[in-house]
Amino acid sequence: MTKLANRDYSRSRAVLMGTWDYRDFDDVPAVGRSYHRMRELLQDPVCGSWPRDSIKLLNNRPTLGTTHVELIETFLQATDVALFYYVGHGIYDHRERLCLAVGDTRTDPNFTAATGLSFEAVRDAFRASRAAVKIAVLDCCYAGLATEEYGCLSATRLPPVSGAYVLMSSSAFEASWHEKEEVIGAQTYFTKALVRTVQEGIPGGPAGLTFDHIFGVVADQLVEDGKPEPGRRIEDHAAGWVFARNNAPDAPPEPGADPDTVFHEAYRRETKEGVERLPVIAAMYRAAAEAGHAPSMNRLGQIAEGRVQARMQGVEPGPVDRAKLLEATQWYSKASEAGDPVGPLHLGQLYEEQYNDADQAVYWYDLAARRGNGAAQERLIGLRQRIRLGIDTSREPADARSEEEPEPARPAPTLSGLAAEALRQRWLANWDGSEPLATAQCLDVLLDACGGPHGEWATLDDTEQERVLVDFLALLPPRANLARAARDYYEAVGPGRLRDHAAGLLRAAQ
């Protein structure tokens, strides 16, 4: 009933009410924290992200004022879901009816009903609404009075899929508890358990969590901890309304869920959870990919290559066996066939770095570039330059070609050396004396002059790149003509001879 992925929140309304500063009652800062946690929960993607204009906030009202009128006006706008949440002091009046306290609510029974919001008023607002599903969540003392003999929340005639659900933190004549202020970030026990359950999810539970699923876990937790046992009242089909997505690591994707929603949830887990959850994450990507979602196809290709696992573990990707390589190729090909601009970029990388097929790499880079992929355009320019210059296009890893050279010992200062240093300091003045800034900008323009990050410059290992950069810096290229100086340097070395030049610099430094 009412799948989270397909819910239209423009037709739903939520009213969040909380009071934590009082005249006759003790102030309860923990209530304020719980109120704000509930507000944040509704706007969390786990609940489908209620838009701000669908939520009415009645926070810490000093007096009742027009609260009843605002409730009715808000719920009249709801045709899908109407949700009411209250946290604060609850009190019963002279007729043993539940009243929800505001700042100046009096404890004198003669004035309680006149100065507090009776739950009858909340029920009237629900009755006026044509919402299909009506939910009341009460975190206050004596919350159980909400279900006493005063009728249901529903209108006289209901849509075919309908119902009401009242969730209460305590029974009719029992107090609700909150953490003492000595506890850092103290909250009310009920809302804290509710929000935590929703955010963490329920292991072994379904993809979409109803209030019935959530209530069972919350009630068990509170009772086990010796807290008041919460209660509930269900009318018609409200128990089947999905309130939140199951955030538990092993929860399956919601059947029929929007592929883009599934993708973003899988990606969120990929960035937040450990590598042991990768099979579940892959299953979510697969569900979206099978529905035609191209970005999910690309993520599955990255998983097959081992890139996702390596990133989650903070290590460099290892070698890819042939079966996994073929699997990655298949997923990238499917993404490319779907018109995606990233799939052909990944195919180009595979053909360049794994299959050593420069012609195919050029084909796929070109396709991705024509689809607007800037990274593919850079790789295409660099690869074409290396092909034109006859440079090895295999992109062999640097550590397979050479070992890092030890730093040479620095000579003792000489008069000529001191003069050179003075010139260097004068040159650095163009960068406000910042050597890191000067080095970074020189590296940037030199890299571009040598074919870009995927051109001839990419054929050098780290040590070779460092030596070439040091050689260029020794020329003290002027900041005003830096790009021209870098082009002249590359032309002087000779296109296609950059690695030989670097080797000569390394030999001279030994």
Side-chain angles (χ1 to χ4, degrees), residues 83 271 434:
L83 186 149
T271 58
S434 174

Coordinates of all heavy atoms in Angstrom, one line a residue, residues 83 271 434:
L83 N -0.6 13.6 8.7 CA 0.2 13.1 9.8 C 0.3 14.2 10.9 O 0.6 15.4 10.6 CB 1.6 12.7 9.4 CG 2.5 12.0 10.4 CD1 3.4 11.0 9.7 CD2 3.4 13.0 11.2
T271 N 29.1 4.6 0.0 CA 30.1 5.6 0.6 C 30.1 5.6 2.1 O 31.0 6.2 2.7 CB 29.7 7.0 0.1 OG1 28.3 7.3 0.5 CG2 29.8 7.2 -1.4
S434 N 54.9 32.6 -2.5 CA 54.4 31.2 -2.2 C 55.0 30.2 -3.2 O 54.6 30.1 -4.4 CB 52.9 31.2 -2.3 OG 52.4 29.9 -2.2

